[in-house]
Amino acid sequence: MSIVLETTIGDLTIDLFTKERPHSCKNFLKLCKLKYYNFCLFHHVQSNFVAQTGDPTGTGSGGQSVYGILSGKDARYYEGEKKPKIKHDRPGLVSMVNCGDNLIGSQFFITLGEDTTCSLDEHIVFGEIAEGHDVLLKLNETICDATHRPYQDIRITHTVILEDPYSDPDGLIVPGQSPEPPLEVLQSDRIGADEDITEDIDIGELEEKRQEKEALARATILEIVGDLPSADIAPPENVLFVCKLNPVTSDDDLQIIFSRFGKIVSCEVIRDKKSENSLQYAFVEFDNQKSCEDAYLKMDNVLIDDRRIHVDFSQSVSKIKWLGKGRGVKYTDKDDEGKNISDKYSKYRNKKRDSYDSRNNYIKNKMSIHESKRHRNDDKNYRYRESEKEERVPYNKYWRNEKDENRRREKDDKMKKNYRNEGERKNHRNERDGKNEKDDKNKRSNRDDRDKRSDRGDRSKRSDRHDRDGRR
């Protein structure tokens, strides 16, 4: 009984020991039938020792038997066979991983060394590699990190059952087709299995290559969920991201500070839409990449308004909209249209803008010609009316009627006269009010003088009367 494991580096044919290990072989066959091992990673590879896989999570701590899939977590493991005892005495043996107390799940490994009996005695051998020993050599030579995790993305892509002597357990539903690759596979930061890496490559270069692969995988995920217009799109190289700002720092302050490195196209402090309070980060766009790099090198950790700011290159592509494969991108902000974009799309956009400009100029020229023609017709009609006043002329909305013109002038003169009369009346009113106020003031002063004279007369009369009474 045989099974073919198709991997990213080649195919492996496994002959199963169905007589010696019936339960382990049945568990392995049914998991292959359920496509359980598809996209499983070889997460642990030690040269001249073992290559381990069978964990869908790729961590080495996951996986379950076919009984756990059918019956639940309580049946995650089953008890493996202890007899007959088969030693790990040659490369190419396939063994189920013992998870403790002779409990078996889904993980298995392939021996890569000549004699590994002492350290692998507790695990259960259930098969042997019949074909694909060149693939075992590739596995044995793969480059791994300190935790024995390969830098390359080596996975099982498909399993083919050549013959299955066991009946299916109750409740086993066989999928009609292979499953789609899960999100973990798309987000893998491993180097592609088809890429050539050798021992001459430095570990630092491998790590850098792995990080590039990880960034590309994340960009692909962002493209799938719609956060990025395209995974291949790159952020602008002349825009800086400035954070840790003081809330009182304004756009003009940043523009003055950063303008010493070069011409600034735009400088914007991002604010809350409702309260308009600063969110304490901003974007500064220069007209060239050199000025942007100079500002990045010199402005990081600089003190602005009692705050140490942090400066980095912008990774935002929020103003760029993906138009579809082969059709390029465009800026959603019309003010920024044509900036920080490839020459191909810039030329296309400029060409389109030029066509719009030429069309608008054509329309303007046509309208000016029409206007001049209309004015000539108006002048001709006016001269015709002057010469033929007695003759009735059909109405035309563009003609200027002399009576209407005279009526308009009379109305304007009347309005001016009214305004002038109104001014005169206002002056007259002011003069009259002033005169009345002056008369009232004179009357009050005359009244006061009269009252004073009457008081003096009364006092003189009383004094005379008093004198006469004294002489008596």
Side-chain angles (χ1 to χ4, degrees):
M1 308 304 168
S2 300
I3 288 179
V4 178
L5 291 183
E6 298 179 1
T7 70
T8 53
I9 58 174
D11 298 343
L12 295 169
T13 303
I14 303 176
D15 286 342
L16 301 178
F17 302 155
T18 55
K19 292 182 181 181
E20 295 84 355
R21 301 285 188 262
H23 296 303
S24 298
C25 290
K26 182 178 180 179
N27 175 63
F28 185 74
L29 277 167
K30 299 311 174 185
L31 288 176
C32 291
K33 203 168 187 177
L34 291 173
K35 310 297 182 186
Y36 187 81
Y37 289 123
N38 285 28
F39 308 109
C40 281
L41 178 72
F42 280 87
H43 58 270
H44 185 88
V45 177
Q46 285 184 257
S47 180
N48 299 319
F49 189 52
V50 295
Q52 186 173 338
T53 184
D55 180 9
T57 64
T59 60
S61 60
Q64 57 184 337
S65 67
V66 67
Y67 309 106
I69 296 174
L70 298 177
S71 304
K73 293 183 178 180
D74 294 337
R76 178 180 178 183
Y77 302 107
Y78 72 94
E79 187 175 358
E81 304 92 333
K82 294 182 179 180
K83 295 181 180 181
K85 190 173 182 179
I86 303 175
K87 295 183 178 182
H88 300 80
D89 56 357
R90 60 187 182 274
L93 292 176
V94 184
S95 296
M96 298 300 295
V97 176
N98 188 346
C99 299
D101 296 332
N102 205 37
L103 297 179
I104 309 300
S106 63
Q107 295 189 45
F108 64 94
F109 62 84
I110 304 172
T111 58
L112 302 175
E114 292 292 339
D115 188 6
T116 56
T117 302
C118 297
S119 56
L120 300 176
D121 206 19
E122 61 179 352
H123 304 289
I124 301 172
V125 179
F126 70 97
E128 184 178 8
I129 299 296
E131 297 178 5
H133 291 281
D134 56 334
V135 179
L136 289 183
L137 292 176
K138 292 180 181 178
L139 272 174
N140 194 43
E141 294 172 357
T142 187
I143 303 174
C144 304
D145 57 17
T147 60
H148 302 290
R149 192 177 181 90
Y151 281 105
Q152 283 186 298
D153 191 43
I154 305 175
R155 296 178 182 270
I156 299 173
T157 58
H158 192 57
T159 55
V160 180
I161 301 174
L162 300 181
E163 187 178 355
D164 183 5
Y166 304 105
S167 59
D168 294 339
D170 295 337
L172 184 70
I173 301 175
V174 180
Q177 59 183 3
S178 297
E180 294 293 330
L183 191 64
E184 290 79 6
V185 176
L186 298 175
Q187 289 180 329
S188 173
D189 57 355
R190 304 287 99 183
I191 300 171
D194 55 344
E195 298 183 35
D196 184 24
I197 59 174
T198 62
E199 293 287 353
D200 297 335
I201 299 180
D202 186 63
I203 298 298
E205 295 179 3
L206 285 175
E207 184 65 22
E208 184 178 354
K209 201 170 184 180
R210 186 192 66 79
Q211 291 178 359
E212 291 178 358
K213 180 77 181 299
E214 180 182 4
L216 181 60
R218 290 177 178 176
T220 304
I221 296 300
L222 292 177
E223 179 185 0
I224 292 173
V225 300
D227 287 350
L228 273 183
S230 172
D232 298 328
I233 199 168
E237 297 180 348
N238 62 332
V239 180
L240 285 181
F241 170 74
V242 185
C243 61
K244 298 183 179 180
L245 292 172
N246 193 313
V248 302
T249 305
S250 64
D251 303 347
D252 296 335
D253 298 336
L254 284 181
Q255 186 165 359
I256 293 172
I257 294 170
F258 281 87
S259 60
R260 67 190 182 95
F261 299 101
K263 183 179 178 181
I264 293 179
V265 178
S266 66
C267 180
E268 180 183 7
V269 175
I270 307 303
R271 300 182 179 276
D272 185 79
K273 291 184 178 180
K274 293 183 179 179
S275 63
E276 296 186 356
N277 294 328
S278 172
L279 298 180
Q280 302 179 21
Y281 69 94
F283 293 94
V284 182
E285 181 178 358
F286 293 87
D287 64 340
N288 59 78
Q289 184 179 349
K290 179 67 168 55
S291 301
C292 185
E293 292 176 353
D294 294 342
Y296 167 73
L297 294 173
K298 296 181 180 179
M299 290 301 295
D300 191 27
N301 205 33
V302 171
L303 192 67
I304 298 180
D305 292 334
D306 298 330
R307 292 288 181 91
R308 294 282 180 184
I309 67 170
H310 174 65
V311 178
D312 201 351
F313 290 102
S314 172
Q315 301 297 316
S316 174
V317 290
S318 60
K319 292 185 178 181
I320 301 177
K321 182 180 180 181
W322 181 247
L323 298 178
K325 187 175 181 180
R327 290 183 290 177
V329 296
K330 74 172 183 179
Y331 273 78
T332 55
D333 189 353
K334 294 182 179 180
D335 296 335
D336 294 336
E337 187 174 358
K339 301 175 185 175
N340 307 325
I341 203 164
S342 64
D343 293 338
K344 176 182 176 182
Y345 304 129
S346 296
K347 290 178 181 178
Y348 171 75
R349 192 164 33 256
N350 293 335
K351 183 178 179 181
K352 193 172 182 180
R353 189 188 299 113
D354 293 340
S355 65
Y356 286 153
D357 293 341
S358 61
R359 184 180 177 186
N360 292 335
N361 292 334
Y362 170 75
I363 294 172
K364 289 179 181 179
N365 293 335
K366 191 172 180 180
M367 290 179 65
S368 63
I369 293 172
H370 177 71
E371 287 290 328
S372 61
K373 187 175 181 180
R374 183 173 64 83
H375 288 310
R376 285 199 301 271
N377 291 336
D378 289 344
D379 187 52
K380 186 189 296 184
N381 293 329
Y382 178 74
R383 288 198 301 270
Y384 177 76
R385 287 197 306 272
E386 286 292 323
S387 60
E388 301 291 341
K389 287 184 179 181
E390 296 180 358
E391 184 178 351
R392 186 173 181 180
V393 183
Y395 174 75
N396 190 318
K397 64 178 181 179
Y398 294 112
W399 290 349
R400 297 180 180 177
N401 195 324
E402 187 177 359
K403 292 182 179 180
D404 294 340
E405 198 72 24
N406 295 333
R407 192 180 298 111
R408 185 181 61 79
R409 291 197 190 95
E410 291 176 0
K411 187 176 180 181
D412 292 342
D413 295 339
K414 187 175 180 180
M415 290 178 65
K416 291 178 182 178
K417 186 176 181 180
N418 290 336
Y419 292 151
R420 188 164 52 250
N421 294 339
E422 182 67 25
E424 292 176 356
R425 283 197 297 272
K426 188 174 181 181
N427 294 333
H428 178 69
R429 192 184 305 113
N430 293 335
E431 292 177 359
R432 185 183 60 196
D433 293 341
K435 186 176 180 181
N436 292 336
E437 186 177 357
K438 189 176 181 179
D439 293 340
D440 293 339
K441 188 176 181 180
N442 293 332
K443 288 180 180 179
R444 284 195 298 274
S445 62
N446 294 333
R447 190 182 305 112
D448 293 338
D449 293 339
R450 189 172 59 252
D451 292 339
K452 289 178 181 179
R453 286 195 301 271
S454 62
D455 290 340
R456 286 196 299 271
D458 293 340
R459 284 197 297 272
S460 62
K461 287 180 180 179
R462 284 195 296 274
S463 62
D464 294 341
R465 190 181 303 110
H466 183 68
D467 293 338
R468 285 196 301 270
D469 293 339
R471 285 196 293 275
R472 290 178 184 174

